[in-house]
């Protein structure tokens, strides 16, 4: 490491105790998306104690603060996610929730960076602004609750980053960095080229209840219609192209009726994931057609509610190379693995940002078990949390030093999927669908309308 890098690492070391205390506290106080008020209050108190003035999201958790270098240049945003998961069977669950996604470590890392940037000389030679931001609701769960928030006007979008984009938190941001925890043994840092995007889907089959033994001929079995719809979707799987990384994973909710009753309504919740926006739109259309065809075959009604989930994440290779070099400088090449040709089939709303700006979501290792599972844990948060803070601090310094030359070069050559945030939101809106898609007319006429107009 250079003398400058050693200085920045030392700035993090000074606040080791505070970083680890934050990780432990956040781990013990999990809350799910758009309810992370405890974490928001905890981090607010500590940021303000460091002397930061915060811009709060208001009626949802989340805030940002700007660290101005005093010299003009681009704005680099460093983010941390706040939410936990519904995971009542996790041994560390509190109130049925647990941080088995590792987001608690992100909050501790961001706090460590905030503290390190207050050290003498931390901003020396830098140009531009470092925006530190906490973000709610990365996990795309609890659809019903989020729809209630939308209906009340609390939120417009179901993902935290999209909602904060809608509220103007990213209007003047040029680049974005974030860490996520990883479970790769023998490594300190990993990074992939990107993640799948997704659509969140609810399909409601509507039949007609009747006595299952005495008069089944008078009923329409919504459960059978749902099962037939999923069979039709399964018959489509071989048409999904490998390069599109398509995933469709539905769950049927219980019809909530006695065994002697023909089920009148059954709900299916699912996500349709894919590597590109085009693939998601194409395959989602096929799945909707299959679901609707099954309803028509059974004479059932069908409501489909599609919500834009997360757009595909595509990390900028030039920014990846810069972050990779900082990680190598920090821990050595043998502990760093960056894959520029490998994508994950999971989804993350960091993809929303990469549609309009260059970004990198770095993975810092040290967790064990499986993400989102009952065996997930971070047995030694010290190395993980401190390494995350060190790597992002070194990356920020490399981007904004020398009149922010590296940041300016990266942003000048980045080719976003959409030219602006308003253009991104126009694409988001095109994915909404809320309608009864199978209509029955006179003379046996059946109309299937899957348009979102």
């Amino acid at each position: 490491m250079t003398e400058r890098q050693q200085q920045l690492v030392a700035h993090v070391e000074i606040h080791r105790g505070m970083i680890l205390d934050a990780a432990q506290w956040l781990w013990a106080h999990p809350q799910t998306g758009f309810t992370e008020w405890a974490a928001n209050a905890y981090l607010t108190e500590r940021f303000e104690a460091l002397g930061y003035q915060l811009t709060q999201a208001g009626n949802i958790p989340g805030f940002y603060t700007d660290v101005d270098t005093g010299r003009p240049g681009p704005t680099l945003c460093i983010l941390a996610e706040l939410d936990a998961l519904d995971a009542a069977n996790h041994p560390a669950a509190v109130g049925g929730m647990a941080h088995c996604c590792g987001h608690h470590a992100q909050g501790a890392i961001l706090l460590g960076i905030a503290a390190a940037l207050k050290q003498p000389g931390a901003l020396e030679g830098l140009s531009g602004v470092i925006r530190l931001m906490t973000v709610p609701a990365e996990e795309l769960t609890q659809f019903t609750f989020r729809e209630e928030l939308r209906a009340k006007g609390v939120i417009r979008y179901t993902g935290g980053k999209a909602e904060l984009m809608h509220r103007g938190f990213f209007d003047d941001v040029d680049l974005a960095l974030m860490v996520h925890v990883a479970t790769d043994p023998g490594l300190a840092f990993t990074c992939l080229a990107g993640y799948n995007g997704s659509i969140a889907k609810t399909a409601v089959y509507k039949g007609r209840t009747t006595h299952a033994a005495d008069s089944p001929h008078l009923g329409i079995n919504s459960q059978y219609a749902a099962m037939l719809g999923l069979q039709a979707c399964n018959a489509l799987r071989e048409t999904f192209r490998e390069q599109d990384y398509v995933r469709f994973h539905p769950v049927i909710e219980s019809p909530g009726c006695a065994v002697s009753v023909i089920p009148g309504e059954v709900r299916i919740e699912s996500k349709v994931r894919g590597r590109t926006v085009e693939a998601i739109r194409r395959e989602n259309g096929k799945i909707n057609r299959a679901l609707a065809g099954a309803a028509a075959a059974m004479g059932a009604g069908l409501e489909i509610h599609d919500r834009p989930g997360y757009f595909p994440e595509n990390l900028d290779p030039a920014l990846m190379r810069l972050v990779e070099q900082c990680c190598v400088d920090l821990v050595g090449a043998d502990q760093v693995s960056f894959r520029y040709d490998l994508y994950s089939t999971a989804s993350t709303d960091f993809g929303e940002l990469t549609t309009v700006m260059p970004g990198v979501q770095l993975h810092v290792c040290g967790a064990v078990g499986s993400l989102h599972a009952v065996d997930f844990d971070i047995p030694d948060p010290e190395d993980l949390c401190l390494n995350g803070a060190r790597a992002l601090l070194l990356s920020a310094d490399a981007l904004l030093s020398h009149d922010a030359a590296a940041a300016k070069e990266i942003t000048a050559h980045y080719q976003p999927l959409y030219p602006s945030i308003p253009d991104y939101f126009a694409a988001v809106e095109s994915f909404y669908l809320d309608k009864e898609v199978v209509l029955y007319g006179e003379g046996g006429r059946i109309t299937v309308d899957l348009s979102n107009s």
Side-chain angles (χ1 to χ4, degrees), residues 177-381:
L177 291 176
M178 198 181 82
V179 297
H180 200 287
V181 304
T183 59
D184 302 78
L187 293 171
F189 298 104
T190 66
C191 190
L192 305 179
Y195 278 73
N196 265 2
S198 65
I199 280 181
K201 176 184 300 296
T202 301
V204 184
Y205 281 93
K206 298 178 179 181
R208 183 186 305 125
T209 59
T210 186
H211 194 290
D214 183 61
S215 55
H217 57 287
L218 299 178
I220 298 175
N221 194 313
S222 62
Q223 183 168 259
Y224 287 169
M227 293 167 62
L228 188 62
L230 293 184
Q231 280 187 293
C233 292
N234 284 333
L236 291 171
R237 292 186 186 275
E238 67 182 20
T239 72
F240 301 157
R241 302 186 307 175
E242 282 80 359
Q243 65 264 36
D244 290 330
Y245 288 19
V246 177
R247 296 291 187 273
F248 173 62
H249 41 95
V251 174
I252 299 180
E253 292 186 2
S254 169
C257 63
V259 69
S260 59
V261 178
I262 295 292
E265 183 172 298
V266 168
R267 297 170 62 90
I268 296 173
E269 288 196 358
S270 182
K271 293 179 184 176
V272 180
R273 306 182 195 252
R275 177 83 292 278
T276 66
V277 173
E278 293 76 15
I280 296 168
R281 195 183 300 277
R282 180 183 66 243
E283 305 307 339
N284 184 63
K286 289 159 59 176
I287 285 169
N288 282 349
R289 188 180 65 215
L291 295 172
M298 294 293 295
L302 174 63
E303 286 182 12
I304 292 181
H305 304 277
D306 280 348
R307 294 288 179 268
Y310 298 149
F311 274 53
E313 178 193 272
N314 291 285
L315 302 189
D316 179 57
L319 184 52
M320 282 180 69
R321 286 190 288 271
L322 180 144
V323 175
E324 180 181 21
Q325 185 58 57
C326 291
C327 292
V328 170
D329 293 342
L330 184 62
V331 298
D334 60 330
Q335 294 189 58
V336 178
S337 176
F338 275 52
R339 293 291 303 273
Y340 294 80
D341 59 344
L342 184 62
Y343 292 85
S344 171
T345 52
S347 303
T348 167
D349 67 349
F350 194 76
E352 316 307 294
L353 301 182
T354 66
T355 64
V356 293
M357 68 182 69
V360 163
Q361 181 175 198
L362 176 67
H363 288 72
V364 56
C365 304
V368 297
S370 300
L371 289 169
H372 295 199
V374 295
D375 61 347
F376 176 86
D377 193 16
I378 301 177
D380 183 10

